[in-house]
């Protein structure tokens, strides 16, 4: 799928989690719902760090372009080192390492540890990165015609404001994990969810997605998981634009209402 659809699916997924949490009698404070949806929206773009033409490669200028080149080479090296006899030959690392459940869990865990142990500036950094990505994904038309600096300023301002809101008592810095020292431990959850939602979205397209790696399936370790081929679509096709994106918006709205206890 393309960047805007990935971002919408990430936001909808977190709002759905919010509705489920409310139904389980453990509702999210509204700042957790908002911040989590934005982080999940941004994190749903992050697996495409292995693609130099992806939205995330442009998000932070030369820094993100260089990072994409590094991740692409790393992913390709891991693919070559771990592929089985049935896996096809490749010339790049797109849709390999960063498109797996293991990558999602590792990145989410690392973020939780950083947020919990790094203090306010670590939280601000995590929020800034994902606010910029959320702007690039959800407001992609405006982001494309504005300068990178304006997008970065919007991301930095949003991160500063939201961090201040979360820090206030009862607003959610200790949501779900309330023991002393576990503030912001939950920040890794929307990142894991966003990465997994991205993988599921890509699995619906023609090429499929090796979500299960390193678990082998038959003669392949990088098995391209997906529905039957007649049910798949090409990225950017009318199915994505006319069916899936409106569905994500509808599901996100319903999830938000459920999370706030309005339905």
């Amino acid at each position: 799928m393309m960047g805007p659809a990935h971002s919408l699916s990430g936001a909808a997924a977190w709002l759905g989690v919010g509705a489920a949490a409310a139904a389980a009698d453990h509702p999210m404070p509204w700042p957790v719902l908002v911040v989590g949806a934005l982080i999940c929206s941004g994190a749903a773009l992050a697996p495409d760090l292995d693609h130099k033409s992806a939205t995330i490669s442009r998000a932070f200028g030369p820094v993100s372009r260089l990072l994409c080149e590094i991740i692409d080479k790393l992913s390709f090296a891991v693919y070559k080192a771990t592929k089985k006899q049935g896996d096809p030959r490749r010339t790049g690392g797109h849709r390999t390492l960063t498109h797996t459940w293991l990558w999602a869990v590792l990145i989410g865990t690392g973020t939780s540890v950083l947020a919990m142990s790094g203090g306010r500036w670590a939280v601000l950094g995590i929020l800034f990165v994902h606010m910029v990505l959320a702007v690039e994904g959800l407001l992609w038309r405006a982001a494309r015609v504005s300068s990178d600096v304006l997008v970065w300023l919007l991301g930095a301002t949003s991160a500063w404001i939201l961090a201040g809101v979360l820090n206030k008592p009862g607003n959610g810095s200790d949501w779900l994990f309330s023991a002393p020292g576990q503030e912001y431990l939950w920040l890794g959850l929307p990142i894991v969810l966003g990465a997994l939602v991205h993988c599921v979205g890509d699995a619906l397209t023609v090429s499929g997605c090796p979500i299960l790696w390193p678990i082998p399936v038959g003669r392949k370790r990088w098995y391209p998981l997906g529905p039957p081929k007649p049910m798949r679509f090409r990225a950017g096709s009318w199915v994505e634009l006319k069916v899936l994106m409106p569905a994500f918006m509808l599901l996100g709205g319903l999830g938000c209402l459920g999370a706030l206890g309005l339905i």
Side-chain angles (χ1 to χ4, degrees):
M1 289 198 301
M2 307 298 285
H6 279 309
S7 280
L8 273 176
S9 66
W14 185 258
L15 294 171
V17 169
D25 202 27
H26 198 87
M28 296 178 182
W30 71 263
V32 173
L33 187 68
V34 172
V35 172
L38 290 171
I39 290 176
C40 199
S41 172
L45 297 178
D48 277 344
L49 267 173
D50 59 7
H51 196 318
K52 64 181 180 181
S53 298
T55 301
I56 191 172
S57 72
R58 303 185 297 270
F60 300 97
V63 174
S64 53
R65 285 194 290 271
L66 176 60
L67 184 58
C68 282
E69 291 182 13
I70 294 171
I71 295 297
D72 178 39
K73 289 180 171 58
L74 171 64
S75 298
F76 185 45
V78 172
Y79 179 85
K80 289 196 298 182
T82 62
K83 71 184 184 73
K84 294 184 69 176
Q85 188 176 7
D87 291 309
R89 295 185 64 182
R90 299 181 61 97
T91 58
H94 182 47
R95 286 203 188 182
T96 55
L97 179 61
T98 61
H99 288 68
T100 65
W101 69 270
L102 183 59
W103 176 272
V105 171
L106 289 175
I107 293 299
T109 301
T111 300
S112 286
V113 171
L114 178 63
M116 187 175 60
S117 61
R120 177 175 173 80
W121 288 107
V123 172
L124 282 171
I126 293 166
L127 291 177
F128 168 70
V129 168
H130 290 89
M131 293 308 107
V132 170
L133 292 178
V135 171
E136 292 281 358
L138 297 175
L139 304 176
W140 63 278
R141 290 185 186 276
R144 291 284 176 86
V145 299
S146 63
S147 71
D148 289 341
V149 174
L150 289 177
V151 175
W152 298 341
L153 286 173
L154 179 57
T157 303
S158 302
W160 188 271
I161 293 172
L162 292 172
V165 171
L166 284 172
N167 257 336
K168 294 180 180 179
N171 274 6
S173 63
D174 60 350
W175 177 75
L176 198 60
F177 304 99
S178 56
Q182 292 185 348
E183 292 81 9
Y184 297 109
L185 183 58
W186 64 269
L187 281 183
L189 297 178
I191 291 175
V192 173
L193 181 61
L196 291 177
V197 168
H198 178 109
C199 293
V200 171
D202 279 353
L204 299 176
T205 62
V206 173
S207 301
C209 188
I211 303 172
L212 298 179
W213 183 88
I215 301 169
V217 178
R219 297 172 61 248
K220 296 182 178 182
R221 193 177 301 278
W222 297 88
Y223 182 81
L225 199 67
K229 289 191 176 181
M231 298 176 62
R232 302 185 189 188
F233 58 88
R234 294 191 177 278
S237 70
W238 67 270
V239 175
E240 180 178 331
L241 300 176
K242 304 296 185 181
V243 178
L244 291 182
M245 290 182 67
F248 294 150
M249 288 188 278
L250 176 61
L251 291 173
L254 292 174
C256 183
L257 293 174
L260 296 174
L262 299 178
I263 58 173

